[in-house]
Amino acid sequence: MITAAPDDAELHRWPLRRLKAASDPRRNEYFRLLALINDWPTPERLTPVIDWSVTALRIRAAGRAPHVIRNRRIDA
């Protein structure tokens, strides 16, 4: 994230809050139903990507090395 703010705990908490809100299971269902009634293609589930991002931010906030998450597999 490019910002003038220092790389501190608050900088990591803000996107974590946003990502946790986006990972609400009702979100996937809402977009699936919206696609159904509008005759759109079923959207891709973003939950695995969001979960991976939350894990990555938590690891970064804890000060652990980025290589810890590099080989983690994301199952769709």
Coordinates of all heavy atoms in Angstrom, one line a residue:
M1 N 0.9 -1.2 0.0 CA 0.0 0.0 0.0 C 0.9 1.2 0.0 O 1.8 1.3 0.8 CB -0.9 0.0 1.2 CG -1.8 1.1 1.3 SD -2.9 1.0 2.8 CE -3.8 -0.5 2.5
I2 N 0.7 2.1 -0.9 CA 1.4 3.4 -1.0 C 0.7 4.4 -0.2 O -0.4 4.8 -0.6 CB 1.7 3.8 -2.4 CG1 2.5 2.7 -3.1 CG2 2.4 5.1 -2.5 CD1 2.6 2.9 -4.6
T3 N 1.3 5.0 0.8 CA 0.7 6.0 1.6 C 1.8 6.7 2.4 O 2.9 6.2 2.5 CB -0.3 5.4 2.6 OG1 -0.9 6.4 3.4 CG2 0.3 4.3 3.5
A4 N 1.5 7.9 2.8 CA 2.4 8.7 3.6 C 2.4 8.3 5.1 O 3.2 8.7 5.9 CB 2.1 10.2 3.5
A5 N 1.4 7.4 5.4 CA 1.3 6.9 6.8 C 2.4 6.0 7.2 O 2.9 5.3 6.3 CB 0.0 6.3 7.0
P6 N 2.9 5.9 8.4 CA 3.9 5.0 8.8 C 3.4 3.5 8.7 O 2.2 3.3 8.8 CB 4.2 5.4 10.2 CG 3.0 6.1 10.7 CD 2.4 6.8 9.5
D7 N 4.3 2.6 8.5 CA 3.9 1.2 8.4 C 3.7 0.7 9.8 O 4.6 0.1 10.4 CB 5.0 0.4 7.7 CG 4.6 -1.0 7.4 OD1 3.4 -1.3 7.5 OD2 5.5 -1.8 7.0
D8 N 2.6 0.9 10.4 CA 2.3 0.6 11.8 C 1.0 -0.3 11.9 O 0.5 -0.7 10.9 CB 2.2 1.8 12.7 CG 1.0 2.7 12.3 OD1 0.3 2.3 11.4 OD2 0.9 3.8 12.9
A9 N 0.7 -0.7 13.1 CA -0.5 -1.6 13.3 C -1.8 -1.0 12.7 O -2.6 -1.7 12.1 CB -0.6 -1.8 14.8
E10 N -2.0 0.3 12.8 CA -3.2 0.9 12.3 C -3.3 0.8 10.8 O -4.4 0.6 10.3 CB -3.4 2.4 12.8 CG -4.7 3.0 12.3 CD -5.9 2.2 12.7 OE1 -6.0 1.6 13.8 OE2 -6.9 2.2 11.9
L11 N -2.2 0.9 10.1 CA -2.2 0.8 8.7 C -2.6 -0.6 8.3 O -3.2 -0.8 7.2 CB -0.8 1.1 8.2 CG -0.6 1.0 6.6 CD1 -1.4 2.1 6.0 CD2 0.9 1.2 6.3
H12 N -2.3 -1.6 9.1 CA -2.7 -3.0 8.8 C -4.1 -3.3 9.2 O -4.8 -4.1 8.6 CB -1.8 -4.0 9.4 CG -0.4 -3.9 8.9 ND1 0.0 -4.3 7.7 CD2 0.7 -3.3 9.5 CE1 1.3 -4.1 7.5 NE2 1.8 -3.4 8.6
R13 N -4.6 -2.6 10.3 CA -6.0 -2.9 10.8 C -7.0 -2.4 9.8 O -8.1 -3.0 9.6 CB -6.2 -2.2 12.1 CG -5.6 -3.0 13.3 CD -6.1 -2.5 14.6 NE -5.6 -1.2 14.9 CZ -4.5 -1.0 15.6 NH1 -3.8 -2.0 16.1 NH2 -4.1 0.2 15.9
W14 N -6.8 -1.3 9.1 CA -7.8 -0.7 8.2 C -8.1 -1.7 7.1 O -9.3 -2.0 6.9 CB -7.3 0.7 7.7 CG -8.3 1.3 6.7 CD1 -9.4 2.0 7.1 CD2 -8.2 1.2 5.3 NE1 -10.1 2.3 5.9 CE2 -9.4 1.9 4.8 CE3 -7.4 0.6 4.4 CZ2 -9.6 2.0 3.5 CZ3 -7.6 0.8 3.0 CH2 -8.8 1.4 2.6
P15 N -7.1 -2.2 6.3 CA -7.5 -3.1 5.2 C -8.1 -4.4 5.8 O -8.9 -5.0 5.2 CB -6.3 -3.3 4.4 CG -5.2 -2.8 5.2 CD -5.7 -1.8 6.2
L16 N -7.6 -4.8 7.0 CA -8.2 -6.0 7.6 C -9.6 -5.9 7.9 O -10.4 -6.8 7.6 CB -7.4 -6.4 8.9 CG -6.1 -7.2 8.7 CD1 -5.4 -7.2 10.0 CD2 -6.4 -8.5 8.2
R17 N -10.0 -4.7 8.4 CA -11.5 -4.5 8.6 C -12.3 -4.6 7.3 O -13.3 -5.1 7.3 CB -11.7 -3.2 9.3 CG -11.3 -3.2 10.8 CD -11.8 -1.9 11.5 NE -11.2 -0.7 10.9 CZ -10.1 0.0 11.3 NH1 -9.5 -0.5 12.3 NH2 -9.7 1.1 10.7
R18 N -11.7 -3.9 6.3 CA -12.4 -3.9 5.0 C -12.5 -5.3 4.4 O -13.6 -5.7 3.9 CB -11.7 -3.0 4.0 CG -11.5 -1.6 4.5 CD -12.8 -0.8 4.3 NE -13.2 -0.9 3.0 CZ -13.7 0.1 2.2 NH1 -13.7 1.3 2.7 NH2 -14.1 -0.1 1.0
L19 N -11.4 -6.1 4.5 CA -11.4 -7.4 3.9 C -12.4 -8.4 4.7 O -13.0 -9.2 4.1 CB -10.0 -8.0 3.9 CG -9.1 -7.4 2.8 CD1 -7.7 -7.8 3.1 CD2 -9.6 -7.8 1.4
K20 N -12.4 -8.2 6.0 CA -13.3 -9.0 6.8 C -14.7 -8.8 6.4 O -15.6 -9.7 6.4 CB -13.1 -8.8 8.3 CG -11.8 -9.4 8.8 CD -11.6 -9.1 10.3 CE -10.3 -9.6 10.8 NZ -10.1 -9.3 12.2
A21 N -15.1 -7.5 6.2 CA -16.4 -7.1 5.8 C -16.8 -7.7 4.5 O -17.9 -8.2 4.2 CB -16.6 -5.6 5.8
A22 N -15.8 -7.7 3.5 CA -16.0 -8.3 2.2 C -16.1 -9.8 2.2 O -16.6 -10.4 1.3 CB -14.9 -7.8 1.3
S23 N -15.6 -10.5 3.2 CA -15.6 -11.9 3.3 C -16.9 -12.5 3.9 O -17.0 -13.7 4.1 CB -14.4 -12.5 4.0 OG -14.5 -12.2 5.4
D24 N -17.8 -11.6 4.2 CA -19.1 -12.1 4.7 C -19.8 -13.0 3.7 O -19.9 -12.7 2.5 CB -20.1 -10.8 4.9 CG -21.4 -11.2 5.6 OD1 -21.9 -12.3 5.4 OD2 -21.9 -10.3 6.3
P25 N -20.2 -14.2 4.1 CA -20.7 -15.2 3.2 C -22.0 -14.7 2.5 O -22.3 -15.2 1.4 CB -21.0 -16.4 4.1 CG -20.6 -16.1 5.5 CD -20.1 -14.7 5.5
R26 N -22.7 -13.8 3.1 CA -23.9 -13.2 2.4 C -23.5 -12.5 1.2 O -24.3 -12.4 0.3 CB -24.6 -12.4 3.4 CG -25.2 -13.1 4.6 CD -25.8 -12.2 5.6 NE -24.7 -11.4 6.2 CZ -24.9 -10.5 7.2 NH1 -26.1 -10.3 7.7 NH2 -23.9 -9.8 7.6
R27 N -22.3 -12.0 1.1 CA -21.8 -11.2 -0.1 C -21.9 -12.1 -1.3 O -22.4 -11.8 -2.4 CB -20.4 -10.7 0.1 CG -19.9 -9.9 -1.0 CD -18.4 -9.7 -0.9 NE -17.8 -9.1 -2.1 CZ -17.5 -9.8 -3.2 NH1 -17.7 -11.1 -3.2 NH2 -17.1 -9.2 -4.2
N28 N -21.3 -13.3 -1.2 CA -21.3 -14.3 -2.3 C -22.7 -14.6 -2.8 O -23.0 -14.7 -3.9 CB -20.5 -15.6 -2.0 CG -19.1 -15.4 -1.9 OD1 -18.5 -14.6 -2.7 ND2 -18.4 -16.1 -1.0
E29 N -23.6 -14.9 -1.8 CA -25.0 -15.2 -2.1 C -25.7 -14.1 -2.7 O -26.4 -14.2 -3.7 CB -25.7 -15.7 -0.8 CG -27.1 -16.1 -1.0 CD -27.2 -17.4 -1.9 OE1 -26.2 -18.0 -2.2 OE2 -28.3 -17.7 -2.3
Y30 N -25.5 -12.9 -2.3 CA -26.1 -11.7 -2.9 C -25.7 -11.5 -4.3 O -26.6 -11.3 -5.2 CB -25.7 -10.4 -2.1 CG -26.1 -9.1 -2.7 CD1 -27.4 -8.7 -2.6 CD2 -25.2 -8.4 -3.5 CE1 -27.8 -7.5 -3.2 CE2 -25.6 -7.2 -4.1 CZ -26.9 -6.8 -4.0 OH -27.3 -5.6 -4.6
F31 N -24.4 -11.6 -4.6 CA -24.0 -11.5 -6.0 C -24.4 -12.6 -6.9 O -24.7 -12.5 -8.1 CB -22.5 -11.3 -6.1 CG -22.1 -9.9 -5.7 CD1 -21.3 -9.6 -4.6 CD2 -22.5 -8.8 -6.5 CE1 -21.0 -8.3 -4.2 CE2 -22.1 -7.5 -6.1 CZ -21.4 -7.3 -5.0
R32 N -24.5 -13.8 -6.3 CA -25.0 -15.0 -7.1 C -26.5 -14.8 -7.4 O -26.9 -14.9 -8.6 CB -24.9 -16.3 -6.3 CG -25.2 -17.5 -7.1 CD -25.3 -18.7 -6.2 NE -26.4 -18.7 -5.2 CZ -27.7 -19.0 -5.6 NH1 -28.0 -19.3 -6.8 NH2 -28.6 -19.0 -4.7
L33 N -27.3 -14.3 -6.5 CA -28.7 -14.1 -6.8 C -28.9 -12.9 -7.7 O -29.8 -12.9 -8.6 CB -29.4 -13.8 -5.4 CG -29.6 -15.0 -4.5 CD1 -30.2 -14.6 -3.2 CD2 -30.4 -16.1 -5.2
L34 N -28.1 -11.8 -7.5 CA -28.2 -10.7 -8.4 C -27.9 -11.1 -9.9 O -28.6 -10.7 -10.8 CB -27.2 -9.6 -8.0 CG -27.3 -8.3 -8.6 CD1 -28.6 -7.6 -8.3 CD2 -26.1 -7.4 -8.1
A35 N -26.9 -12.0 -10.1 CA -26.6 -12.5 -11.4 C -27.7 -13.3 -11.9 O -28.0 -13.2 -13.1 CB -25.3 -13.3 -11.4
L36 N -28.3 -14.1 -11.1 CA -29.4 -15.0 -11.5 C -30.6 -14.2 -12.0 O -31.1 -14.4 -13.1 CB -29.8 -15.9 -10.3 CG -31.0 -16.9 -10.6 CD1 -30.5 -17.9 -11.6 CD2 -31.4 -17.5 -9.3
I37 N -31.0 -13.2 -11.2 CA -32.2 -12.4 -11.7 C -31.9 -11.5 -12.9 O -32.8 -11.1 -13.6 CB -32.8 -11.6 -10.5 CG1 -31.9 -10.5 -10.0 CG2 -33.3 -12.5 -9.4 CD1 -32.5 -9.6 -9.0
N38 N -30.7 -11.1 -13.1 CA -30.3 -10.3 -14.2 C -29.8 -11.0 -15.4 O -29.4 -10.4 -16.4 CB -29.3 -9.2 -13.8 CG -29.9 -8.2 -12.9 OD1 -30.9 -7.6 -13.2 ND2 -29.3 -7.9 -11.7
D39 N -29.8 -12.4 -15.3 CA -29.3 -13.3 -16.3 C -27.8 -12.9 -16.7 O -27.5 -12.9 -17.9 CB -30.2 -13.2 -17.6 CG -30.0 -14.3 -18.5 OD1 -29.6 -15.4 -18.0 OD2 -30.2 -14.1 -19.7
W40 N -27.0 -12.7 -15.7 CA -25.6 -12.5 -15.8 C -24.8 -13.8 -15.5 O -25.4 -14.7 -14.9 CB -25.1 -11.4 -14.9 CG -25.7 -10.1 -15.0 CD1 -26.3 -9.6 -16.1 CD2 -25.7 -9.0 -14.1 NE1 -26.7 -8.3 -15.9 CE2 -26.3 -7.9 -14.6 CE3 -25.3 -9.0 -12.8 CZ2 -26.5 -6.7 -14.0 CZ3 -25.5 -7.8 -12.1 CH2 -26.1 -6.7 -12.7
P41 N -23.6 -13.9 -16.0 CA -22.8 -15.1 -15.6 C -22.6 -15.1 -14.0 O -22.5 -14.1 -13.4 CB -21.5 -15.0 -16.3 CG -21.6 -13.8 -17.2 CD -22.9 -13.0 -16.8
T42 N -22.6 -16.3 -13.5 CA -22.3 -16.4 -12.0 C -20.9 -15.9 -11.7 O -19.9 -16.2 -12.3 CB -22.4 -17.9 -11.6 OG1 -23.7 -18.4 -12.0 CG2 -22.2 -18.0 -10.1
P43 N -20.8 -14.9 -10.8 CA -19.5 -14.3 -10.5 C -18.6 -15.3 -9.7 O -19.1 -16.3 -9.1 CB -19.9 -13.2 -9.5 CG -21.2 -13.5 -9.0 CD -21.9 -14.4 -10.0
E44 N -17.3 -15.1 -9.9 CA -16.3 -15.9 -9.2 C -16.4 -15.6 -7.7 O -16.5 -14.4 -7.3 CB -15.0 -15.5 -9.8 CG -13.8 -16.3 -9.2 CD -12.5 -15.9 -9.8 OE1 -12.5 -15.4 -10.9 OE2 -11.5 -16.1 -9.2
R45 N -16.2 -16.6 -6.9 CA -16.2 -16.5 -5.5 C -14.9 -15.8 -5.1 O -13.8 -16.3 -5.5 CB -16.4 -17.8 -4.7 CG -17.8 -18.3 -4.8 CD -17.9 -19.7 -4.1 NE -17.5 -19.6 -2.7 CZ -16.5 -20.2 -2.1 NH1 -15.7 -21.0 -2.9 NH2 -16.2 -20.1 -0.9
L46 N -14.9 -14.8 -4.3 CA -13.6 -14.1 -3.9 C -13.2 -14.5 -2.5 O -12.1 -14.1 -2.1 CB -13.8 -12.6 -4.0 CG -14.0 -12.0 -5.4 CD1 -14.2 -10.5 -5.3 CD2 -12.9 -12.4 -6.3
T47 N -14.0 -15.3 -1.8 CA -13.6 -15.7 -0.5 C -12.2 -16.3 -0.3 O -11.5 -15.9 0.6 CB -14.7 -16.7 0.1 OG1 -16.0 -16.1 -0.1 CG2 -14.4 -17.0 1.5
P48 N -11.8 -17.2 -1.2 CA -10.4 -17.7 -1.0 C -9.3 -16.6 -1.1 O -8.3 -16.6 -0.4 CB -10.2 -18.7 -2.1 CG -11.6 -19.1 -2.5 CD -12.4 -17.9 -2.3
V49 N -9.5 -15.7 -2.1 CA -8.5 -14.6 -2.3 C -8.6 -13.7 -1.1 O -7.5 -13.2 -0.6 CB -8.8 -13.9 -3.6 CG1 -7.9 -12.7 -3.7 CG2 -8.7 -14.8 -4.8
I50 N -9.8 -13.4 -0.6 CA -9.9 -12.5 0.6 C -9.3 -13.1 1.8 O -8.5 -12.5 2.6 CB -11.4 -12.1 0.8 CG1 -11.9 -11.2 -0.3 CG2 -11.5 -11.4 2.1 CD1 -13.3 -11.0 -0.3
D51 N -9.5 -14.4 2.0 CA -9.0 -15.1 3.2 C -7.4 -15.1 3.1 O -6.8 -14.9 4.1 CB -9.5 -16.6 3.2 CG -11.0 -16.6 3.6 OD1 -11.5 -15.6 4.1 OD2 -11.6 -17.7 3.4
W52 N -6.9 -15.3 1.9 CA -5.4 -15.3 1.7 C -4.9 -13.9 2.1 O -3.9 -13.8 2.8 CB -5.1 -15.7 0.3 CG -3.6 -15.8 0.1 CD1 -2.8 -16.9 0.3 CD2 -2.7 -14.7 -0.3 NE1 -1.5 -16.6 0.0 CE2 -1.4 -15.3 -0.3 CE3 -2.9 -13.4 -0.5 CZ2 -0.3 -14.5 -0.7 CZ3 -1.8 -12.6 -0.9 CH2 -0.5 -13.2 -0.9
S53 N -5.6 -12.9 1.6 CA -5.1 -11.5 1.9 C -5.2 -11.2 3.3 O -4.2 -10.5 3.8 CB -6.0 -10.5 1.1 OG -5.9 -10.8 -0.3
V54 N -6.2 -11.6 4.0 CA -6.3 -11.4 5.5 C -5.1 -12.1 6.2 O -4.4 -11.5 7.0 CB -7.6 -11.9 6.0 CG1 -7.6 -12.0 7.6 CG2 -8.8 -11.0 5.6
T55 N -4.8 -13.3 5.8 CA -3.7 -14.1 6.4 C -2.4 -13.3 6.1 O -1.5 -13.2 7.0 CB -3.6 -15.5 5.8 OG1 -4.8 -16.1 6.1 CG2 -2.5 -16.3 6.4
A56 N -2.2 -12.9 4.9 CA -1.0 -12.2 4.5 C -0.8 -10.9 5.3 O 0.3 -10.6 5.8 CB -1.0 -11.8 3.0
L57 N -1.9 -10.1 5.5 CA -1.8 -8.9 6.3 C -1.5 -9.2 7.8 O -0.7 -8.4 8.4 CB -3.1 -8.1 6.2 CG -3.2 -7.3 4.9 CD1 -4.6 -6.7 4.8 CD2 -2.2 -6.1 4.9
R58 N -2.1 -10.2 8.3 CA -1.8 -10.6 9.7 C -0.4 -11.0 9.9 O 0.3 -10.6 10.9 CB -2.7 -11.7 10.1 CG -4.2 -11.3 10.4 CD -5.0 -12.4 11.0 NE -6.3 -11.9 11.3 CZ -7.4 -12.6 11.1 NH1 -7.3 -13.8 10.7 NH2 -8.6 -12.1 11.4
I59 N 0.2 -11.7 8.9 CA 1.6 -12.1 9.0 C 2.5 -10.9 8.9 O 3.4 -10.7 9.7 CB 1.9 -13.2 7.9 CG1 1.2 -14.5 8.3 CG2 3.4 -13.3 7.8 CD1 1.3 -15.5 7.2
R60 N 2.1 -10.0 8.0 CA 2.9 -8.8 7.8 C 2.9 -7.9 9.1 O 3.9 -7.4 9.5 CB 2.4 -8.0 6.6 CG 2.9 -6.7 6.4 CD 4.3 -6.7 5.9 NE 4.8 -5.3 5.7 CZ 6.0 -5.0 5.5 NH1 6.9 -5.9 5.5 NH2 6.3 -3.7 5.4
A61 N 1.7 -7.8 9.7 CA 1.5 -7.0 10.9 C 2.3 -7.6 12.0 O 2.7 -6.9 12.9 CB 0.0 -6.9 11.2
A62 N 2.4 -9.0 12.0 CA 3.1 -9.6 13.1 C 4.6 -9.5 12.9 O 5.4 -9.9 13.8 CB 2.7 -11.1 13.2
G63 N 5.1 -9.0 11.8 CA 6.5 -8.8 11.5 C 7.2 -10.0 11.0 O 8.4 -10.1 11.0
R64 N 6.5 -11.1 10.6 CA 7.1 -12.3 10.1 C 7.5 -12.1 8.7 O 6.9 -11.3 8.0 CB 6.2 -13.5 10.3 CG 6.0 -13.8 11.8 CD 5.3 -15.1 11.9 NE 3.8 -14.8 11.8 CZ 2.9 -15.7 11.9 NH1 3.2 -16.9 12.1 NH2 1.6 -15.3 11.9
A65 N 8.4 -12.9 8.2 CA 8.9 -12.8 6.8 C 7.9 -13.1 5.8 O 7.1 -14.0 6.0 CB 10.1 -13.7 6.7
P66 N 7.8 -12.4 4.7 CA 6.8 -12.6 3.6 C 6.9 -14.0 3.0 O 6.0 -14.6 2.6 CB 7.2 -11.6 2.6 CG 7.9 -10.5 3.3 CD 8.6 -11.2 4.4
H67 N 8.1 -14.7 3.1 CA 8.2 -16.0 2.5 C 7.4 -17.0 3.2 O 7.1 -18.1 2.6 CB 9.7 -16.5 2.4 CG 10.2 -16.8 3.8 ND1 10.7 -15.8 4.6 CD2 10.3 -18.0 4.4 CE1 11.1 -16.4 5.8 NE2 10.9 -17.7 5.7
V68 N 6.9 -16.7 4.4 CA 6.0 -17.7 5.1 C 4.7 -17.9 4.3 O 4.2 -19.0 4.3 CB 5.7 -17.1 6.5 CG1 4.7 -18.0 7.2 CG2 6.9 -17.0 7.3
I69 N 4.3 -16.9 3.6 CA 3.0 -17.1 2.9 C 3.2 -17.3 1.4 O 2.2 -17.6 0.7 CB 2.1 -15.9 3.1 CG1 2.8 -14.6 2.5 CG2 1.7 -15.7 4.5 CD1 1.9 -13.4 2.5
R70 N 4.4 -17.3 0.9 CA 4.6 -17.4 -0.6 C 4.1 -18.6 -1.2 O 3.6 -18.7 -2.3 CB 6.1 -17.2 -0.8 CG 6.4 -16.8 -2.3 CD 7.8 -16.5 -2.5 NE 8.1 -15.2 -1.8 CZ 9.3 -14.8 -1.4 NH1 10.3 -15.7 -1.4 NH2 9.4 -13.7 -0.8
N71 N 4.2 -19.8 -0.5 CA 3.9 -21.1 -1.1 C 2.5 -21.6 -0.6 O 2.1 -22.7 -0.9 CB 4.9 -22.1 -0.7 CG 6.2 -21.8 -1.4 OD1 6.3 -21.3 -2.5 ND2 7.3 -22.0 -0.6
R72 N 1.7 -20.7 0.0 CA 0.4 -21.1 0.5 C -0.5 -21.2 -0.7 O -0.6 -20.4 -1.6 CB -0.1 -20.1 1.5 CG -1.5 -20.5 2.0 CD -1.8 -19.9 3.3 NE -3.2 -20.3 3.6 CZ -3.9 -19.7 4.5 NH1 -3.4 -18.8 5.2 NH2 -5.1 -20.2 4.8
R73 N -1.2 -22.3 -0.7 CA -2.1 -22.6 -1.9 C -3.5 -22.0 -1.6 O -4.0 -22.1 -0.5 CB -2.2 -24.1 -2.0 CG -3.1 -24.5 -3.2 CD -3.0 -26.0 -3.4 NE -4.0 -26.4 -4.3 CZ -4.6 -27.6 -4.4 NH1 -4.1 -28.5 -3.6 NH2 -5.5 -27.8 -5.3
I74 N -4.1 -21.5 -2.6 CA -5.5 -20.9 -2.5 C -6.4 -21.9 -3.3 O -6.2 -22.0 -4.5 CB -5.6 -19.5 -3.1 CG1 -4.7 -18.6 -2.3 CG2 -7.0 -19.0 -3.1 CD1 -4.7 -17.2 -2.8
D75 N -7.3 -22.5 -2.7 CA -8.3 -23.4 -3.3 C -9.5 -22.6 -3.6 O -10.1 -22.0 -2.8 CB -8.6 -24.6 -2.5 CG -7.4 -25.5 -2.2 OD1 -6.6 -25.7 -3.2 OD2 -7.2 -25.9 -1.1
A76 N -10.0 -22.6 -4.9 CA -11.2 -21.9 -5.3 C -12.4 -22.7 -5.0 O -12.4 -23.9 -4.8 CB -11.1 -21.6 -6.7

